[in-house]
C-alpha cells in the first residue's frame, strides 16, 4: 500500500519559501484549486472530509480523536523530489495509497481488524519521498490511512481507521509568470500554487509622474527632490496661470509634487518677466430670482468689473457641484423646482463667489434664503469703491467722506455710508441709519452705536426698537450684523468693509 523511496527532504526549503513570500507580499496570485468536501471513487465509494465527518465513509459528527495532519494540497514542478509526511496523534500505524490506486474500505477494515489485540495506540508519523515527479503519472490524490487499536477505540474513538487525502499537482506556480523587464524573479508557493513576482528597484510606474525614484541597495524610494539645476537664464523662467514664478519647469514640477496642485504654464512671460496684473475686480453677493416658471430662460452674469492678467476664469455650478458653464454670461433654463446656482471667478490665487437663488412657488424648498418676504431689491458696497446699485449694475466710484446710499423722504428714513481706505482699498467703514427719530450706526468691527452709546450684541441676542411705521431689530447671524425694519429695508454688515442694503418693493 505504500511506496518508500529515499531522497533529499524539501520540508526546510518549503518553509523558507513560505517565509519569503510573506515578507515580499506583492503580486500574489489567487489559489487556483478548491477541494470538494466529498469525492466519489471509481469503485463507487464516497469519502467525506472535513471536521464534521469521520474519514471512513460515514457522515457522523463526533469528537476528533485520531485527527490526521496531512496537507490537503501540494504543488511541485516536474522533476522535483516531493516529501509527504502524515502525522496522527492517536493511532497504531499508518500507511499511504498512491495514485492511481484508490482506497478499498473492505480491505482497509480487514487490515484494521488484525490490530484488535495489539498494543495501545500512540503518535505515529510516516514520510514518503517521490523523486522526479511527472505530470500524468505522479499527480493525483494520495491517501494516508491511520489504523486505530480495536481494544481502545470504544473508549476513545468510534472507528477502526481514519483516512486523509492530499492532492498533488505537478505544475510550476511561476511558469509563464513575472515576465518582462520590470521583474527580476518569481517566488513560488508550493503549498497553494500561488506566486510572488519580485520587481526590480524603480520599475516603471513605481513612483508618481512628478516624483523621482531612487535606488537604495536592493530597495528604492520616491522623492520630490528632482535635482533641479539652478539657472539664471531668463529663457528658463516659467510663469503659471496661478501667478507664480519659477526659475525653471523643473522647479515648477517640484512644487507640483510637494503640494499636489496642478499648474499650467502661462504665456505672459516676456524677457524673463511675468506680466501679471492682478487687478481683477468682481462683485460678490447673493441674488434672488422669483416669478419664473418651468422652461423660462434666466440670463445670469458674473459681474467682472475689471479684468486682470492673466484673465480670470469663470465657472457656474449647481447645488450638487455639477459644472454648468465656464463663461461670464450664462443662460439658464429654469426647471420645475427651486435651485441654487453658484458662480466662481478665479484669477491667480484669488477667488470670488456669488450665489443665485432661483425660487419657484412649490411650497417648502431645500434652502432657506436670508429674506423670506415677497420681492426685494438689493444694493452692495464692496471693497475698491465698487457699488452694485439696485438695478444690479456695478460701478466704481472715487468714494470719500459720507454719502447717502438709500433713502425714502416719505417715511422718512435715510442710510448714510462713510468710506475710508483699509489695506490700500476704499471700503465702507460705517453705515448710519435714520428711521424717524431713531438713529443707530454699524461700525467696523461689528460695533453698534445706538443713540450715541455702544450697544453690545451677542450671538443669540435681538435688540428691538420702535418707530412710527413699526419696529426694527438688530442681531448677529453668521458673523454679519443685521438690521431689519419690517417691510422697509434690511442691512447686512460683514464687520470689515462690505455692506448689503435690501429694499422691499412696496
Amino acid at each position: 500500500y505504500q511506496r518508500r523511496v529515499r531522497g533529499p527532504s524539501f520540508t526546510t526549503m518549503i518553509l523558507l519559501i513560505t517565509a519569503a513570500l510573506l515578507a515580499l507580499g506583492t503580486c500574489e496570485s489567487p489559489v487556483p484549486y478548491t477541494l470538494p468536501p466529498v469525492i466519489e471513487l471509481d469503485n463507487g465509494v464516497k469519502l467525506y472530509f472535513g471536521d464534521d465527518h469521520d474519514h471512513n465513509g460515514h457522515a457522523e459528527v463526533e469528537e476528533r480523536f485520531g485527527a490526521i495532519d496531512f496537507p490537503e494540497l501540494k504543488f511541485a514542478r516536474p522533476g522535483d523530489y516531493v516529501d509527504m509526511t502524515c502525522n496522527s496523534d492517536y493511532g497504531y500505524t499508518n500507511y499511504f495509497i498512491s495514485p492511481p490506486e484508490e482506497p478499498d474500505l473492505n480491505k482497509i477494515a480487514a487490515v484494521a481488524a488484525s490490530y484488535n489485540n495489539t498494543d495501545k495506540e500512540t503518535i505515529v508519523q510516516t514520510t514518503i519521498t517521490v523523486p522526479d515527479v511527472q505530470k500524468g503519472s505522479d499527480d493525483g490524490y494520495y491517501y494516508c490511512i491511520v489504523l486505530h487499536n480495536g481494544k481502545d477505540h470504544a473508549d476513545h474513538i468510534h472507528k477502526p481507521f481514519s483516512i486523509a487525502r492530499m492532492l498533488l499537482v505537478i505544475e510550476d506556480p511561476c511558469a509563464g509568470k513575472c515576465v518582462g523587464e520590470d521583474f527580476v524573479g518569481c517566488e513560488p508557493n508550493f503549498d497553494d500554487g500561488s506566486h510572488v513576482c519580485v520587481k526590480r528597484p524603480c520599475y516603471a510606474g513605481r513612483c508618481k509622474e512628478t516624483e523621482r525614484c531612487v535606488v537604495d541597495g536592493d530597495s528604492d524610494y520616491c522623492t520630490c527632490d528632482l535635482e533641479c539645476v539652478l539657472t539664471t537664464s531668463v529663457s528658463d523662467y516659467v510663469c503659471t496661470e496661478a501667478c507664480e514664478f519659477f526659475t525653471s519647469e523643473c522647479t515648477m514640477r517640484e512644487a507640483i509634487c510637494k503640494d499636489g496642485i496642478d499648474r499650467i504654464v502661462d504665456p505672459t512671460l516676456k524677457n524673463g518677466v511675468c506680466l501679471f496684473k492682478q487687478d481683477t475686480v468682481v462683485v460678490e453677493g447673493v441674488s434672488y430670482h422669483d416669478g419664473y416658471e418651468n422652461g423660462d430662460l434666466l440670463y445670469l452674469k458674473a459681474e467682472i468689473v475689471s479684468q486682470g492678467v492673466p484673465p480670470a476664469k469663470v465657472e457656474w455650478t449647481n447645488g450638487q457641484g455639477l459644472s454648468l458653464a465656464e463663461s461670464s454670461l450664462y443662460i439658464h433654463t429654469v426647471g420645475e423646482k427651486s435651485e441654487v446656482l453658484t458662480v466662481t471667478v478665479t484669477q491667480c490665487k484669488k477667488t470670488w463667489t456669488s450665489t443665485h437663488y432661483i425660487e419657484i412657488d412649490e411650497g417648502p424648498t431645500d434652502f432657506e434664503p436670508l429674506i423670506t418676504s415677497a420681492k426685494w431689491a438689493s444694493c452692495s458696497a464692496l471693497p475698491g469703491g465698487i457699488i452694485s446699485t439696485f438695478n444690479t449694475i456695478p460701478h466704481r466710484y472715487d468714494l470719500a467722506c459720507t454719502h447717502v446710499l438709500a433713502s425714502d423722504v416719505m417715511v422718512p428714513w435715510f442710510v448714510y455710508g462713510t468710506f475710508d481706505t483699509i489695506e490700500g482699498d476704499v471700503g465702507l467703514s460705517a453705515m448710519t441709519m435714520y428711521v424717524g427719530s431713531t438713529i443707530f450706526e454699524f461700525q467696523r468691527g461689528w460695533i453698534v452705536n445706538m443713540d450715541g452709546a455702544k450697544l453690545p450684541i451677542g450671538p443669540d441676542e435681538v435688540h428691538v426698537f420702535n418707530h412710527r411705521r413699526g419696529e426694527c431689530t438688530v442681531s448677529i447671524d453668521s458673523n454679519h450684523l443685521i438690521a431689519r425694519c419690517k417691510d422697509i429695508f434690511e442691512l447686512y454688515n460683514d464687520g470689515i468693509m462690505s455692506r448689503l442694503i435690501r429694499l422691499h418693493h412696496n
Side-chain angles (χ1 to χ4, degrees):
Y1 297 105
Q2 59 183 313
R3 173 170 46 166
R4 294 179 180 269
V5 184
R6 298 299 177 187
S9 171
F10 272 69
T11 304
T12 303
M13 180 184 296
I14 292 174
L15 292 175
L16 290 174
I17 291 175
T18 303
L21 293 173
L22 292 174
L24 291 170
T26 58
C27 297
E28 188 169 356
S29 64
V31 179
Y33 291 89
T34 300
L35 299 178
V38 58
I39 61 172
E40 183 172 356
L41 304 178
D42 290 342
N43 57 20
V45 174
K46 289 186 178 180
L47 294 181
Y48 297 85
F49 297 90
D51 289 343
D52 291 339
H53 300 87
D54 70 10
H55 289 182
N56 62 2
H58 299 285
E60 297 177 357
V61 180
E62 61 180 65
E63 192 173 1
R64 287 295 310 281
F65 285 101
I68 302 177
D69 182 11
F70 193 48
E72 292 184 338
L73 181 66
K74 182 184 286 290
F75 280 74
R77 290 172 296 205
D80 280 353
Y81 280 68
V82 177
D83 285 339
M84 287 176 275
T85 301
C86 177
N87 297 307
S88 177
D89 58 355
Y90 202 83
Y92 183 80
T93 187
N94 63 352
Y95 61 94
F96 291 90
I97 297 177
S98 303
E101 185 180 355
E102 295 180 343
D104 185 326
L105 299 186
N106 292 327
K107 186 180 296 185
I108 296 174
V111 175
S114 66
Y115 288 92
N116 281 344
N117 299 313
T118 57
D119 295 335
K120 290 183 177 292
E121 295 159 307
T122 183
I123 297 175
V124 294
Q125 174 176 315
T126 303
T127 300
I128 65 169
T129 300
V130 183
D132 190 23
V133 295
Q134 297 298 326
K135 193 177 182 71
S137 59
D138 297 304
D139 52 346
Y141 282 105
Y142 288 76
Y143 298 88
C144 176
I145 314 298
V146 176
L147 303 180
H148 304 292
N149 189 336
K151 292 189 302 180
D152 292 337
H153 78 264
D155 297 328
H156 301 289
I157 186 165
H158 304 291
K159 55 187 176 182
F161 60 88
S162 298
I163 301 178
R165 62 171 182 174
M166 182 192 76
L167 175 63
L168 177 62
V169 180
I170 311 300
E171 179 182 299
D172 185 354
C174 284
K177 310 294 195 307
C178 311
V179 178
E181 61 180 12
D182 288 337
F183 303 100
V184 295
C186 175
E187 298 290 349
N189 186 334
F190 293 103
D191 292 332
D192 60 14
S194 62
H195 70 279
V196 173
C197 291
V198 181
K199 291 188 175 182
R200 64 174 175 81
C202 292
Y203 59 87
R206 167 67 176 87
C207 299
K208 297 178 182 178
E209 186 177 352
T210 55
E211 296 176 327
R212 180 172 65 92
C213 188
V214 180
V215 177
D216 184 12
D218 294 334
S219 184
D220 57 20
Y221 62 91
C222 301
T223 177
C224 288
D225 179 6
L226 305 184
E227 297 183 333
C228 298
V229 178
L230 182 62
T231 177
T232 57
S233 174
V234 296
S235 62
D236 294 328
Y237 292 169
V238 172
C239 304
T240 71
E241 289 189 350
C243 299
E244 297 170 299
F245 169 78
F246 296 96
T247 57
S248 66
E249 286 198 24
C250 181
T251 56
M252 181 184 72
R253 290 197 300 271
E254 280 187 337
I256 295 173
C257 178
K258 292 175 181 178
D259 60 25
I261 300 175
D262 290 335
R263 288 166 172 83
I264 300 176
V265 176
D266 188 77
T268 56
L269 177 69
K270 185 176 182 181
N271 297 326
V273 178
C274 295
L275 303 180
F276 298 141
K277 187 180 179 184
Q278 301 183 51
D279 61 351
T280 294
V281 177
V282 181
V283 177
E284 294 183 286
V286 177
S287 300
Y288 294 89
H289 310 274
D290 56 8
Y292 288 89
E293 297 179 356
N294 182 25
D296 288 348
L297 297 181
L298 179 60
Y299 292 79
L300 303 174
K301 186 177 181 181
E303 299 293 350
I304 302 177
V305 180
S306 63
Q307 186 68 270
V309 178
K313 294 183 178 180
V314 180
E315 183 180 25
W316 294 85
T317 56
N318 63 9
Q320 288 73 44
L322 179 65
S323 181
L324 302 174
E326 296 182 354
S327 58
S328 178
L329 177 63
Y330 171 55
I331 304 176
H332 180 70
T333 302
V334 178
E336 298 179 351
K337 296 184 178 181
S338 299
E339 301 174 83
V340 181
L341 304 182
T342 300
V343 57
T344 302
V345 180
T346 305
Q347 196 241 353
C348 296
K349 292 186 177 181
K350 191 171 183 180
T351 300
W352 298 264
T353 302
S354 294
T355 303
H356 294 263
Y357 292 92
I358 305 173
E359 301 179 21
I360 305 297
D361 187 11
E362 54 169 342
T365 62
D366 293 334
F367 59 86
E368 184 178 353
L370 294 176
I371 310 300
T372 57
S373 304
K375 293 181 179 292
W376 295 75
S378 61
C379 166
S380 300
L382 303 167
I386 304 300
I387 297 292
S388 177
T389 57
F390 288 109
N391 57 2
T392 69
I393 298 176
H395 304 274
R396 172 176 281 175
Y397 295 103
D398 183 16
L399 298 169
C401 302
T402 301
H403 304 268
V404 176
L405 302 180
S407 67
D408 185 348
V409 297
M410 299 300 294
V411 174
W413 61 264
F414 303 87
V415 178
Y416 290 86
T418 301
F419 293 83
D420 64 3
T421 301
I422 178 173
E423 296 182 354
D425 275 339
V426 174
L428 191 60
S429 64
M431 182 184 292
T432 306
M433 280 84 36
Y434 296 82
V435 183
S437 59
T438 302
I439 304 173
F440 59 98
E441 182 179 56
F442 287 172
Q443 299 176 354
R444 181 171 291 141
W446 299 279
I447 298 174
V448 179
N449 188 331
M450 180 73 74
D451 292 330
K454 296 293 190 292
L455 180 66
I457 300 289
D460 299 321
E461 297 182 47
V462 177
H463 289 261
V464 181
F465 58 90
N466 297 313
H467 59 90
R468 68 185 183 90
R469 288 283 301 273
E471 68 177 24
C472 295
T473 61
V474 176
S475 61
I476 289 182
D477 186 4
S478 301
N479 293 326
H480 281 74
L481 272 174
I482 303 174
R484 290 185 173 95
C485 294
K486 186 177 180 181
D487 294 334
I488 300 178
F489 62 73
E490 294 193 356
L491 309 180
Y492 294 81
N493 169 20
D494 72 350
I496 303 176
M497 55 196 308
S498 297
R499 309 291 188 272
L500 172 70
I501 304 175
R502 295 173 63 83
L503 299 184
H504 197 278
H505 278 199
N506 62 9

